[in-house]
Amino acid sequence: MNKKTSIKDKIFAVAATHFANFGFEGARMDKIAKEACVNKASIYYNIGNKEALYAKVLNKAFDEGFGSFHDVIESSLSAREKLEAYIRHIAKALERNPILPKMMMREQLSQGRHMPESFAGNIVQMLDGLTAILNQGNEEGVFDVVDTVTIHFMIFGAMMFQMTSSPIRKKKKAFSNKYQPDPGILPQSVIDQITKAVLRAVKKEK
Amino acid sequence: MNKKTSIKDKIFAVAATHFANFGFEGARMDKIAKEACVNKASIYYNIGNKEALYAKVLNKAFDEGFGSFHDVIESSLSAREKLEAYIRHIAKALERNPILPKMMMREQLSQGRHMPESFAGNIVQMLDGLTAILNQGNEEGVFDVVDTVTIHFMIFGAMMFQMTSSPIRKKKKAFSNKYQPDPGILPQSVIDQITKAVLRAVKKEK
Amino acid sequence: MNKKTSIKDKIFAVAATHFANFGFEGARMDKIAKEACVNKASIYYNIGNKEALYAKVLNKAFDEGFGSFHDVIESSLSAREKLEAYIRHIAKALERNPILPKMMMREQLSQGRHMPESFAGNIVQMLDGLTAILNQGNEEGVFDVVDTVTIHFMIFGAMMFQMTSSPIRKKKKAFSNKYQPDPGILPQSVIDQITKAVLRAVKKEK
Amino acid sequence: MNKKTSIKDKIFAVAATHFANFGFEGARMDKIAKEACVNKASIYYNIGNKEALYAKVLNKAFDEGFGSFHDVIESSLSAREKLEAYIRHIAKALERNPILPKMMMREQLSQGRHMPESFAGNIVQMLDGLTAILNQGNEEGVFDVVDTVTIHFMIFGAMMFQMTSSPIRKKKKAFSNKYQPDPGILPQSVIDQITKAVLRAVKKEK
DNA sequence: CATGAATGAGCCTTCATTCAT
DNA sequence: AATGAATGAAGGCTCATTCAT
């Protein structure tokens, strides 16, 4: 990596956390620059404006998180194993890139105001992958007919909420003893719980 | 209702949609005032500052949405029926008050920055309710041991994502044919899918 | 005048000198605000943005300068007297409003980038007035056939250059003794010279 | 010309049009560099800063335009012929170098802020030349006593305004049919009109 | 009470200039 | 000599908030 790449990457990394934590409107170019140890004008020179920076961060987060996602589908596993892999992959992607779930949630909230069309395409690809798995399971006679989007959002929703709710559950006294999160960004225990629940949810009743 | 209350209510109603759609930082006092047909200074006179307005809106949304939630628990139904009722109640609350899921998601994203302690208490109450139901089901021998938080977030996550993803799925071409949402804020078909999936997910395997 | 008018007027007055002396790009909102003893945001509240301020200043200067110009034409004087009156009127307008010639010159230089269509209309009105006078003189047999635009620009050009060149002629040593301007913004001696020259220039040769 | 000179000349040429069209404050070093196909730092290395670039452009324009102006005066023509030549020369200079009138007007507007003393000297030289012509005409008994500066500004003013008003007259609808400029930077018809008018204006009445 | 007007602080962005290679 | 990258200092504009009537 030459110096240029490194400065851009530093900006992206810092901007990602700021956009994720404060949103597009809440993020401050000043603070991003300062935290990235670059001159503010440098961001404009290297990247463009706030909107361009946001778009780059969003795409980068998604690519890094779900870029190699189609690999799961192409394997020659059983539907059940594929679904497990699918969930595991999402979990690992979110865990590896904790910015991603936040940015995706923010995009949904703002009705995709800053979401590039390509981003939507990536999500459709994921849904298609899940559909294929569910269909295969149905053909194998192990999965019931279930709605792809519902299952997808159960997985995603549960994981994202688990992740984003952790700080609050630690912070607010009301949660003091009862519902404390396990340590870690997305603990294995949570992934297991979700996997178990989803596998049951799609399973064909005898 | 006297005039003052009605002014406040109008402000709250407008502010709710703005905070939900644009976030705390994205919402503009100017626009809220104009859309509520009140003078900007009137908001400050009647309510306080932006933060106070946000807090009021947040609490109001939650109270209206989940204020009477404990009623479900006190009934004398079976665990399965109670869980169905629990899901149905959440669905109805979210549907009746579409601002609520958005504000809750935003709160999670900002790590509860504006969330009052009472709000956290309400959520704990809900979780306690769900725990009671799940315990009852376990005692009845129909539910397996499952994690309350995971199940809660599956329900909530799926519903919220369904709701907030609708506009994007309509808007972005990538979703053109395949994953179009059913009409309505939170269609019955979606509620049914979620209910079915959750019931299976907690069900004890024989 | 109520207070509101007075603040706007103060802004306009200061802005006029700044736009005239520094041009649109050279003028600074900061300095205008400070010199007008108003908060910078106040300009935006009262008027809009820089472009709007400029347009207002430009129109105001023209209206104040040439607003009542058509009166000259409607009189029942001889062509010669009318032309004298025309020149006198322009001279008085420019003298009364020294901002005007500068702004008009700047507009020409920037190819009317900020010039509203109405402004152009006003100039056409002036030219029409001059054309009428010249035609009348031709019919009376005292004026030769001359180009309206040329005569107009001779009058205007001479006056404007006299006015705007004064500071330089005073400042630069090269002009030390010879070509010093008479005192005053647009001295009567200059007006007389121009009037004499123009009257000769249009006069029919016998 | 070696390479360095050619680079400088390219920069000067582009900078001239930019300074003329946008003014000192409106001109952008970035755009000048890009349009001149040189690196921005190259301008600073070769010439200095913006102010130095402007000064160079101004002087160059004047030298190219009026450098060999004194030749007119030294000829042995009649006063009338000399005046015609004087006007023709100014016209040709302006036509050959359309940047010049714009820059001179801008200098006047900014009260010679960037005008070097030598520049003022050149203008005085021109005025002296005109004075000599007018004096000669007076001695010959063909010219009346007239003010040099007034005549100079009539000539200059009329030409410059004709030139700089052309784009506006073409652009603004208000001028649609009536006052359209003849084609060309400074059409011969305009020069003829001005020459005719000026000759009359100075002519001795019998 | 209600409201039009005012404002200080801050935000995004640009620009002339310099640095480092 | 030449250039891509970097930057300090503004500049235009906005926004939450307060003032004054």
Side-chain angles (χ1 to χ4, degrees), chain A:
Chain A
M1 295 291 175
N2 52 17
K3 207 183 286 177
K4 184 180 160 189
T5 322
S6 129
I7 205 181
K8 278 194 178 183
D9 283 351
K10 212 190 289 181
I11 293 171
F12 287 146
V14 173
T17 70
H18 280 248
F19 283 133
N21 288 323
F22 306 110
F24 181 82
E25 283 88 358
R28 298 287 169 247
M29 297 300 271
D30 269 32
K31 290 191 179 171
I32 292 172
K34 185 175 278 183
E35 197 174 316
C37 299
V38 298
N39 189 286
K40 208 185 354 169
S42 200
I43 301 179
Y44 290 88
Y45 177 78
N46 281 291
I47 288 140
N49 59 8
K50 195 180 186 181
E51 208 129 356
L53 178 58
Y54 182 87
K56 282 271 170 67
V57 165
L58 190 60
N59 280 320
K60 209 159 174 295
F62 196 90
D63 285 350
E64 280 172 22
F66 297 115
S68 60
F69 208 78
H70 44 86
D71 300 351
V72 187
I73 310 160
E74 313 207 47
S75 63
S76 58
L77 303 167
S78 73
R80 186 200 157 92
E81 286 166 330
K82 279 187 181 171
L83 185 52
E84 282 176 348
Y86 182 89
I87 296 171
R88 206 182 318 121
H89 256 72
I90 291 181
K92 290 306 165 200
L94 296 182
E95 197 183 356
R96 201 169 45 234
N97 202 342
I99 262 59
L100 190 52
K102 294 190 180 182
M103 299 214 57
M104 290 179 73
M105 282 174 81
R106 288 196 187 276
E107 275 309 307
Q108 286 210 339
L109 287 167
S110 67
Q111 311 200 353
R113 205 173 307 155
H114 305 287
M115 188 195 281
E117 194 68 39
S118 68
F119 196 110
N122 283 328
I123 293 171
V124 169
Q125 239 179 344
M126 285 185 62
L127 289 171
D128 285 345
L130 180 57
T131 302
I133 295 170
L134 295 176
N135 284 342
Q136 179 183 337
N138 191 247
E139 282 159 20
E140 289 176 7
V142 293
F143 290 173
D144 209 340
V145 176
V146 284
D147 178 45
T148 302
V149 176
T150 299
I151 299 300
H152 175 78
F153 280 153
M154 281 185 116
I155 301 167
F156 245 84
M159 286 185 189
M160 288 197 184
F161 275 79
Q162 283 275 8
M163 291 173 81
T164 56
S165 71
S166 271
I168 299 186
R169 283 192 276 159
K170 280 185 204 146
K171 200 163 110 187
K172 296 287 174 186
K173 289 176 190 166
F175 295 99
S176 52
N177 297 322
K178 306 184 204 173
Y179 304 107
Q180 281 301 307
D182 285 349
I185 297 173
L186 185 54
Q188 187 60 40
S189 60
V190 166
I191 302 175
D192 290 344
Q193 283 288 337
I194 293 172
T195 308
K196 202 173 89 180
V198 170
L199 283 175
R200 280 181 178 173
V202 300
K203 193 170 153 193
K204 178 153 222 159
E205 312 228 18
K206 286 154 201 171

Side-chain angles (χ1 to χ4, degrees), chain C:
Chain C
M1 297 285 178
N2 52 14
K3 206 182 289 175
K4 183 179 162 190
T5 322
S6 131
I7 204 180
K8 278 194 177 182
D9 283 350
K10 211 190 291 180
I11 293 170
F12 286 145
V14 174
T17 70
H18 280 249
F19 283 133
N21 288 324
F22 306 110
F24 181 82
E25 283 89 357
R28 297 288 167 249
M29 298 299 271
D30 270 31
K31 291 191 179 171
I32 292 172
K34 187 175 279 182
E35 196 174 313
C37 298
V38 298
N39 188 285
K40 206 184 359 167
S42 201
I43 301 180
Y44 291 88
Y45 177 77
N46 280 291
I47 289 141
N49 58 9
K50 196 181 186 181
E51 208 131 354
L53 178 58
Y54 183 86
K56 282 271 168 69
V57 165
L58 191 61
N59 281 320
K60 212 160 170 298
F62 197 90
D63 285 350
E64 280 172 22
F66 297 114
S68 60
F69 209 77
H70 43 85
D71 300 353
V72 187
I73 310 161
E74 311 205 50
S75 64
S76 57
L77 303 168
S78 73
R80 189 200 153 92
E81 286 165 331
K82 277 188 184 172
L83 185 51
E84 282 175 346
Y86 183 88
I87 296 171
R88 206 184 318 122
H89 256 72
I90 292 181
K92 290 305 164 201
L94 295 182
E95 197 182 358
R96 203 168 43 232
N97 203 342
I99 261 60
L100 190 50
K102 295 190 180 183
M103 300 215 54
M104 289 178 75
M105 283 173 82
R106 288 195 186 279
E107 274 310 306
Q108 286 208 338
L109 287 167
S110 67
Q111 314 200 350
R113 205 173 306 153
H114 305 288
M115 188 195 280
E117 194 68 39
S118 68
F119 195 109
N122 284 327
I123 292 171
V124 169
Q125 241 179 344
M126 285 185 63
L127 289 172
D128 285 346
L130 180 58
T131 302
I133 294 171
L134 294 176
N135 284 343
Q136 180 183 336
N138 192 246
E139 282 160 19
E140 289 176 7
V142 292
F143 290 173
D144 209 340
V145 175
V146 284
D147 179 44
T148 300
V149 176
T150 299
I151 299 300
H152 175 79
F153 280 152
M154 281 184 115
I155 301 167
F156 244 85
M159 286 185 190
M160 288 196 186
F161 274 78
Q162 283 275 9
M163 291 174 80
T164 56
S165 72
S166 271
I168 298 185
R169 283 192 276 159
K170 280 184 204 149
K171 199 163 110 188
K172 296 288 174 186
K173 289 176 189 166
F175 295 100
S176 52
N177 296 323
K178 305 185 205 173
Y179 304 107
Q180 280 302 307
D182 286 348
I185 298 173
L186 186 55
Q188 186 59 41
S189 59
V190 166
I191 302 175
D192 290 345
Q193 283 288 339
I194 294 172
T195 308
K196 201 172 89 181
V198 169
L199 282 175
R200 280 180 178 176
V202 301
K203 194 170 153 191
K204 179 155 221 156
E205 311 230 19
K206 283 155 202 169

Side-chain angles (χ1 to χ4, degrees), chain D residues 132-148:
Chain D
I133 294 171
L134 294 176
N135 284 342
Q136 181 184 333
N138 192 246
E139 283 159 18
E140 289 175 8
V142 293
F143 289 175
D144 209 340
V145 175
V146 285
D147 179 45
T148 302

